[in-house]
Amino acid sequence: MEISSPDEHTISCVIGNVFQQVSEIAWTTDAKAGMNYDTKDGVYERATQTSTLTLSRDQLSTLKKSGAQYTFTCTVKVPGTAEPLTATQTIMITFADDPDPRDCEKTFDCPPNAALVNAKVSWFMIICLLIGINCIMDI
């Protein structure tokens, strides 16, 4: 599953061969971010159990800093089975990083500063000299 925006996303895993509603589906991931995920045991229907895991905007940003691809595994111990049943969901985080609000060159929202004003005045004076106009006025 490709995640191309930083908005909250919900991923699902479907575990088959489940013949009764189960609870306490455990989610694990290869990410070492130490986050608590919002999980739901989900819906039981036609011998399958669907569980969901919601990734918040902050969690997606934290995961993206460590890498782009993660595999999430959901596991459930079904009464009457020897081994737990598992399913996996792989996500690829492809959205661009949010620009740093302090980097005005990326946000195109630079406040005027003394250096910029001085540079404009300098260019104005150079243009005046090149075209032969007296740009200096009496104050």
Side-chain angles (χ1 to χ4, degrees), residues 44-64:
Y44 172 75
E45 187 176 280
R46 295 189 187 112
T48 62
Q49 179 83 26
T50 302
S51 178
T52 60
L53 180 144
T54 301
L55 296 166
S56 71
R57 182 182 190 99
D58 290 340
Q59 289 171 326
L60 286 169
S61 294
T62 299
L63 289 170
K64 183 157 183 5

Side-chain angles (χ1 to χ4, degrees), residues 111-125:
N113 60 39
L116 182 60
V117 172
N118 289 340
K120 288 179 181 178
V121 169
S122 297
W123 276 107
F124 178 72
M125 296 303 291

Side-chain angles (χ1 to χ4, degrees), residues 7-8 26-27 30 36 44 58 66 78 101 110 112 114 120 133 136:
D7 299 325
E8 178 179 280
W27 282 83
D30 50 357
N36 292 322
Y44 172 75
D58 290 340
S66 300
V78 178
C110 294
K120 288 179 181 178
I133 299 174
I136 301 174

Side-chain angles (χ1 to χ4, degrees), residues 10-91:
T10 299
I11 61 175
S12 300
C13 75
V14 179
I15 300 175
N17 297 323
V18 178
F19 300 105
Q20 65 186 36
Q21 175 82 36
V22 292
S23 61
E24 298 182 19
I25 295 177
W27 282 83
T28 56
T29 182
D30 50 357
K32 305 292 185 233
M35 291 183 272
N36 292 322
Y37 298 105
D38 180 19
T39 62
K40 304 280 187 277
D41 288 337
V43 178
Y44 172 75
E45 187 176 280
R46 295 189 187 112
T48 62
Q49 179 83 26
T50 302
S51 178
T52 60
L53 180 144
T54 301
L55 296 166
S56 71
R57 182 182 190 99
D58 290 340
Q59 289 171 326
L60 286 169
S61 294
T62 299
L63 289 170
K64 183 157 183 5
K65 289 176 186 171
S66 300
Q69 183 171 319
Y70 296 94
T71 301
F72 289 84
T73 303
C74 61
T75 306
V76 65
K77 177 71 172 113
V78 178
T81 61
E83 295 292 321
L85 301 175
T86 63
T88 60
Q89 176 72 269
T90 299
I91 64 168

